[in-house]
Amino acid sequence: MAQAATISVSTFSYADWNSKVGASAVIEDFENPGALSGTFENGDALTGTSTIKGELQGGISTAVGTFTSLGPIGSGTTCGTFDLNGDGCHQLALQKDPGQNGQGNIVPDNGLWSLNSNDTQGMAWVADLGGALFKSVVFAIQDAADAGQKILSITAGGQTQTFSALPNNNEQLVFIDFGADVSSATINIRTSANDGFTIDGAAINVVPLPASSLLLIGGIAALGGVARRRKAKQTA
């Protein structure tokens, strides 16, 4: 029987983030736009100099999988900052500080970059490492569900965690344990209308290979070396 995921949300601290990010984790902090795959809405490359932040054309591929919008809303002051074509906001935005409406970088402490929901209905993260197994993910989220009746929900592995009425510029830490080893997982982060937020420090905790597998890999590599040496002698 499949095990259900558990979703834990707490006030962000670097100590807590570090404690939940394993030694073998793959981390995306968005600090190197040139390593991301995507383009800005106006066609500029993420490494270009004419655009340094703004709405993206579509999803963005990262070291920890892909991020896409859950749907357009099209207005709001966050959108007004990142909309590059003047046609409303339909996609996520890559943000470079200074912050926007209480949204911005969290990880690392002296960093500049984060991924903004851009006043859309939120974002879907397909966590994937190209086949490597993992059991949990961690990420930081800023300015979620602040003011009035704003609500944010996080859904993964058949479970949903919802929170609301948080203070402006709040920073939360989300830890999701899938209860079993998986090779891919979808995390939906859905928000109320025009309630922008950023995520940062997204990490996938890779399941370490068993010692027996490491020995097998080492043995195969050693055999490959012997075969190459034999071939070199034969052709000498």
Side-chain angles (χ1 to χ4, degrees):
M1 183 174 65
Q3 298 185 39
T6 58
I7 304 173
S8 303
V9 181
S10 58
T11 301
F12 177 87
S13 73
Y14 283 101
D16 201 11
W17 184 81
N18 284 323
S19 72
K20 288 179 169 60
V21 174
S24 59
V26 178
I27 302 169
E28 180 59 73
D29 58 16
F30 304 100
E31 291 301 310
N32 182 13
L36 305 172
S37 179
T39 55
F40 287 109
E41 183 184 27
N42 61 2
D44 283 354
L46 300 186
T47 54
T49 57
S50 58
T51 301
I52 59 171
K53 64 181 180 181
E55 185 175 359
L56 300 165
Q57 279 193 356
I60 185 169
S61 298
T62 75
V64 294
T66 60
F67 295 84
T68 55
S69 171
L70 287 176
I73 291 173
S75 62
T77 55
T78 293
C79 167
T81 297
F82 297 122
D83 181 12
L84 298 175
N85 286 352
D87 59 352
C89 293
H90 306 270
Q91 306 294 339
L92 307 178
L94 195 61
Q95 175 171 336
K96 186 177 183 181
D97 279 356
Q100 169 68 25
N101 292 339
Q103 304 139 30
N105 173 82
I106 304 176
V107 178
D109 189 29
N110 60 346
L112 294 173
W113 293 88
S114 55
L115 189 63
N116 198 301
S117 65
N118 198 27
D119 282 333
T120 68
Q121 294 174 347
M123 62 181 79
W125 172 20
V126 179
D128 194 299
L129 296 174
L133 296 178
F134 58 94
K135 189 176 179 180
S136 62
V137 300
V138 187
F139 63 95
I141 183 168
Q142 187 172 48
D143 205 43
D146 63 320
Q149 301 300 312
K150 304 297 186 182
I151 298 173
L152 187 135
S153 65
I154 300 168
T155 301
Q159 302 297 309
T160 298
Q161 177 79 23
T162 301
F163 47 103
S164 61
L166 297 175
N168 187 47
N169 199 34
N170 69 86
E171 297 181 353
Q172 307 297 318
L173 180 66
V174 182
F175 178 77
I176 303 174
D177 188 331
F178 295 100
D181 295 349
V182 298
S183 59
S184 182
T186 299
I187 299 101
N188 287 329
I189 312 165
R190 188 175 295 276
T191 187
S192 300
N194 295 345
D195 187 31
F197 63 86
T198 49
I199 75 163
D200 205 0
I204 297 179
N205 288 318
V206 182
V207 176
L209 287 171
S212 57
S213 297
L214 294 174
L215 289 173
L216 177 60
I217 293 171
I220 292 172
L223 288 173
V226 171
R228 285 191 294 271
R229 287 194 295 272
R230 285 179 177 172
K231 184 175 181 180
K233 289 181 179 179
Q234 290 170 359
T235 57

